[in-house]
């Protein structure tokens, strides 16, 4: 029996969310594409969004170049989010599908995870959710927005069995 007939949720998932991923980081031991899909879907499904997202895992040199070229900051960062219609002249897509790209640098993520006493998997899950929420329009520019976004991230990660990613900051 086909997976979609056996699991109707799987069919709905495929209709509402497409993930295109590429690993150019060369970093060993990263979570599988299916795991990234699960984390991103967790962020999307809470408000019923339909999405087509590109996930690009970059090495530090490439991540640094993107951060420098698009944010004016000359260092490799953990995650960059690029919504298709963010800052563009083009209007949002008429079909209501969220389109964007997540660029993640596993080398930076691994360093941060070690510094914060987290596993690589925990930190990858957090950054996948965090970056996806940015694509959806969430931000943390001011304190009120930051509190709302952090609370949502914490709730979404807890639903998947992950600890509060901000627990150390709150202690």
């Amino acid at each position: 029996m086909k997976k979609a007939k056996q699991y109707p949720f799987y069919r709905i998932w495929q209709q509402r969310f497409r993930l295109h991923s590429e690993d150019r980081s060369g970093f060993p031991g990263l979570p599988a594409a299916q795991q990234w899909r699960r984390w991103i879907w967790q962020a999307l499904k809470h408000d019923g969004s339909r999405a087509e997202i590109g996930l690009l895992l970059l090495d530090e040199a490439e991540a640094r170049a993107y951060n420098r070229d698009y944010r004016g900051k000359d260092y490799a960062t953990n995650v960059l989010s690029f919504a298709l219609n963010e800052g563009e002249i083009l209007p949002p897509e008429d079909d209501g599908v969220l389109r964007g790209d997540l660029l993640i640098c596993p080398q930076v993520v691994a360093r941060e995870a070690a510094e914060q006493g987290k596993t690589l998997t925990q930190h990858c899950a957090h950054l996948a959710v965090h970056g996806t929420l940015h694509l959806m329009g969430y931000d943390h520019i001011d304190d009120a927005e930051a509190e709302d976004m952090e609370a949502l991230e914490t709730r979404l990660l807890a639903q998947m069995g992950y600890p509060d990613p901000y627990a150390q900051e709150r202690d």
Side-chain angles (χ1 to χ4, degrees), residues 15-153:
Q15 290 171 350
R16 290 187 41 205
F17 173 47
R18 289 197 178 127
L19 178 67
H20 310 279
S21 62
E22 182 181 350
D23 183 358
R24 298 196 315 224
S25 71
F27 195 83
L30 289 174
Q34 190 62 22
Q35 191 64 52
W36 291 98
R37 172 182 294 281
R38 177 177 171 245
W39 297 328
I40 294 168
W41 172 250
Q42 184 70 16
L44 292 168
K45 75 177 186 177
H46 89 276
D47 76 349
S49 290
R50 293 179 22 214
E52 188 166 338
I53 294 175
L55 171 66
L56 187 56
L57 304 174
L58 303 171
D59 65 23
E60 284 187 270
E62 235 182 328
R64 180 179 182 172
Y66 275 102
N67 201 27
R68 181 189 60 238
D69 295 348
Y70 290 95
R71 295 182 61 226
K73 299 183 180 192
D74 195 19
Y75 58 87
T77 189
N78 52 20
V79 62
L80 291 169
S81 300
F82 296 97
L84 177 65
N85 62 347
E86 184 177 60
E88 298 286 330
I89 296 171
L90 300 171
E93 295 296 325
D94 292 338
D95 60 5
V97 176
L98 171 70
R99 290 183 174 85
D101 294 314
L102 294 175
L103 282 61
I104 294 179
C105 181
Q107 288 86 348
V108 173
V109 174
R111 239 186 344 266
E112 290 175 349
E115 290 167 3
Q116 298 170 18
K118 300 174 185 175
T119 67
L120 177 62
T121 300
Q122 287 171 336
H123 203 38
C124 285
H126 176 216
L127 293 174
V129 168
H130 182 88
T132 303
L133 291 176
H134 274 307
L135 291 178
M136 296 167 67
Y138 290 88
D139 217 331
H140 46 80
I141 293 171
D142 65 43
D143 289 345
E145 287 179 331
E147 286 179 26
D148 291 345
M149 187 172 176
E150 289 175 10
L152 180 55
E153 289 172 58

